[in-house]
C-alpha cells in the first residue's frame, strides 16, 4: 500500500499506483425481476440497529427505501413460487434464510481480511438473499457477485465489506454522517451502509434497477436511506458534502464532481480502470488537495454516463 499527495484537478488514472494481488474476477449478468419478500422480522432487526432517521427528504422525494470468485455451492430444489403470499414464498424458496448461513459468510469475509467489527455486524444483519430474485436466492451467501438484471451485478460480499471498512477508516474514528453510493443496483450495499452511516444517499442510472432497489428496501423500512434516479457521475450536489463516497462501478478515473463533493477529511472508495481495475481510496486533505492510495485489484461493472430508462 502506498500514498501519493496530489493536487487536483488531475487524471486519477495518471497517478494510479501499482496494484497489489488480484482478488476478483469477472461475472456474467442475466436478467432478473424484483424480489418482493415481506421481511417483517428483518425490518424490526434493521430498525433496531439502523441510525436515526434522516430528517430532511432529498430532491422532493419521500422517504423511500434500498465482483468475485466463481459460484461454488447452491441449494437444491429451489423453485420460485410467485403466486404464494410473500411470507410463505420466503419460507418456501429460502430454506437457507437462517442467520447461520449469513454468519458463515461474515466469518469468511473476516478470514479474507476485513476486521472492522461494525462492518461485520452490518453484514451479518442485512439479509442478502432478499435482494435477489427467488431463483438466485440460494446462492446469495456465496463468495461471488451475482446477476441482478440489466447486465449488472450485486457485488461480492467481500468487496462490499472491504469498501465500507476502508471508508470508515477515517480521522473521525469511523463516524460517517452523510454517505453517497454511486450505483444502487439492487440496494444491498445501501442497506449495509445504512447501519454504519447516519444518512445514506444512493444514485442509480438505470430506472428499472432504481425501482428494484426501492421494492427490495421498502419492506425493510430503513429510515436513513434516500434513493435517487440519475447520473451518479454528477454526484448529488443538493446534499453534498459527503464524508464518505463509494462507487460500485468502475470508471477510467473518478469524476471531478465527486471529488468536489467530498468533505475535508472525507474518504472516497472506488474501482478505477477498464479491463484491469484497482480499488482506490481518495482522501480530501483540504479544499485543494486529495491523496490517493491504491489497495488491490478488483472487478466491477463499468461506470457509465447519463441515464437509461
Ligand atoms: N451497489 C450494488 C452494486 C450494483 S452494480 C450492490 O449492492 O451490490 C453497479 C451499479 O452501478 C449498476 O446498477 C449500474 O447501473 C450503476 N451505475 C453505473 N454507472 C452509473 C452512474 N453514472 N450513475 C449511477 N449508477 C451507475
Amino acid at each position: 500500500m502506498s500514498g501519493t499527495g496530489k493536487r487536483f484537478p488531475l487524471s486519477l488514472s495518471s497517478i494510479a499506483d501499482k496494484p497489489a494481488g488480484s482478488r476478483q474476477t469477472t461475472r456474467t449478468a442475466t436478467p432478473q425481476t424484483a424480489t418482493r419478500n415481506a421481511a417483517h422480522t428483518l425490518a424490526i432487526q434493521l430498525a433496531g440497529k439502523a441510525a436515526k432517521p434522516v430528517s430532511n427528504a432529498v430532491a422532493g422525494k419521500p422517504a423511500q427505501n434500498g465482483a468475485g470468485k466463481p459460484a461454488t455451492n447452491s441449494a437444491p430444489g429451489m423453485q420460485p413460487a410467485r403466486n404464494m403470499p410473500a411470507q410463505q414464498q420466503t419460507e418456501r424458496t429460502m430454506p437457507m434464510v437462517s442467520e447461520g448461513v449469513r454468519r458463515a459468510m461474515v466469518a469468511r469475509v473476516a478470514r479474507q481480511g476485513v476486521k472492522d467489527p461494525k462492518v461485520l455486524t452490518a453484514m451479518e444483519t442485512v439479509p442478502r438473499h432478499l435482494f435477489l430474485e427467488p431463483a438466485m436466492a440460494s446462492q446469495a451467501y456465496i463468495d461471488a457477485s451475482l446477476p441482478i438484471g440489466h447486465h449488472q451485478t450485486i457485488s461480492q460480499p467481500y468487496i462490499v465489506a472491504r469498501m465500507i471498512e476502508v471508508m470508515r477508516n477515517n480521522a473521525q474514528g469511523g463516524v460517517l454522517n452523510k454517505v453517497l453510493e454511486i450505483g444502487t443496483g439492487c440496494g444491498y450495499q445501501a442497506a449495509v451502509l445504512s447501519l454504519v452511516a447516519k444518512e445514506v444517499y444512493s444514485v442509480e442510472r438505470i430506472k428499472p434497477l432504481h425501482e428494484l432497489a426501492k421494492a427490495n428496501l421498502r419492506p425493510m423500512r430503513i429510515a436513513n436511506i434516500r434513493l435517487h434516479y440519475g447520473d451518479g457521475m454528477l454526484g448529488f450536489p443538493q446534499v453534498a458534502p459527503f464524508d464518505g463516497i463509494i462507487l460500485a462501478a468502475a470508471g477510467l478515473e473518478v469524476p471531478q464532481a465527486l471529488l468536489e463533493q467530498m468533505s475535508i477529511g472525507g474518504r472516497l472508495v472506488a474501482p478505477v480502470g477498464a479491463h484491469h481495475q484497482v480499488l482506490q481510496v481518495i482522501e480530501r486533505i483540504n479544499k485543494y488537495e486529495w491523496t490517493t492510495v491504491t489497495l488491490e485489484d478488483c472487478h466491477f461493472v463499468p461506470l457509465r454516463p447519463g441515464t437509461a430508462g
Side-chain angles (χ1 to χ4, degrees):
M1 200 186 284
S2 59
T4 48
K6 291 289 171 187
R7 201 176 171 85
F8 283 78
L10 259 187
S11 157
L12 288 177
S13 54
S14 70
I15 56 170
D17 298 336
K18 281 215 185 83
S22 177
R23 278 177 189 270
Q24 286 80 42
T25 55
T26 311
R27 308 284 312 166
T28 312
T30 57
Q32 88 169 34
T33 55
T35 302
R36 297 169 199 282
N37 299 296
H40 299 296
T41 38
L42 169 67
I44 292 160
Q45 196 180 11
L46 280 170
K49 297 203 181 190
K52 279 191 191 127
V54 179
S55 51
N56 52 334
V58 171
K61 297 221 175 209
Q64 59 192 7
N65 293 318
K69 291 176 196 157
T72 50
N73 59 328
S74 62
M78 302 287 281
Q79 292 297 327
R82 296 193 181 276
N83 297 327
M84 295 168 69
Q87 193 76 44
Q88 281 178 42
Q89 205 179 99
T90 304
E91 285 158 17
R92 170 69 74 90
T93 59
M94 318 285 176
M96 56 177 296
V97 170
S98 82
E99 289 180 13
V101 181
R102 201 149 55 245
R103 266 202 296 278
M105 176 193 80
V106 172
R108 191 179 59 230
V109 167
R111 281 198 300 279
Q112 288 167 304
V114 176
K115 306 254 179 305
D116 187 333
K118 189 150 180 169
V119 175
L120 295 173
T121 301
M123 296 285 287
E124 204 168 307
T125 304
V126 178
R128 187 171 161 90
H129 63 277
L130 295 183
F131 292 85
L132 292 162
E133 70 167 13
M136 292 294 303
S138 66
Q139 298 185 64
Y141 295 100
I142 66 173
D143 186 26
S145 57
L146 295 166
I148 56 171
H150 304 273
H151 306 291
Q152 307 303 323
T153 55
I154 181 173
S155 302
Q156 177 197 18
Y158 162 77
I159 202 74
V160 169
R162 176 78 171 129
M163 290 177 102
I164 299 176
E165 176 178 66
V166 168
M167 183 176 65
R168 263 175 52 77
N169 192 18
N170 59 15
Q172 291 70 44
V175 172
L176 293 167
N177 291 310
K178 270 189 265 178
V179 161
L180 175 65
E181 178 193 33
I182 308 303
T184 315
C186 61
Y188 172 70
Q189 186 158 23
V192 179
L193 285 169
S194 77
L195 298 174
V196 306
K198 289 206 176 75
E199 302 174 16
V200 177
Y201 299 86
S202 185
V203 184
E204 173 56 55
R205 68 179 289 276
I206 299 177
K207 188 73 184 259
L209 287 179
H210 167 72
E211 298 296 337
L212 172 69
K214 276 203 282 188
N216 286 341
L217 288 166
R218 193 175 294 119
M220 296 174 197
R221 295 192 214 105
I222 305 173
N224 61 334
I225 297 179
R226 296 292 180 276
L227 300 184
H228 180 68
Y229 166 59
D231 180 3
M233 290 176 79
L234 308 175
F236 205 164
Q238 305 95 307
V239 184
F242 298 96
D243 41 13
I245 299 180
I246 282 185
L247 278 79
L252 295 180
E253 57 185 31
V254 174
Q256 182 71 26
L258 297 179
L259 299 173
E260 301 291 353
Q261 290 174 33
M262 296 168 69
S263 59
I264 308 301
R267 303 192 117 210
L268 178 151
V269 188
V272 176
H275 294 300
H276 177 227
Q277 299 173 8
V278 291
L279 195 64
Q280 291 192 335
V281 53
I282 297 173
E283 189 166 323
R284 188 167 194 173
I285 306 306
N286 57 42
K287 195 167 189 304
Y288 305 105
E289 285 179 299
W290 290 254
T291 59
T292 301
V293 174
T294 296
L295 301 172
E296 63 205 67
D297 286 9
C298 57
H299 192 92
F300 281 78
V301 294
L303 185 69
R304 294 194 193 284
T307 55

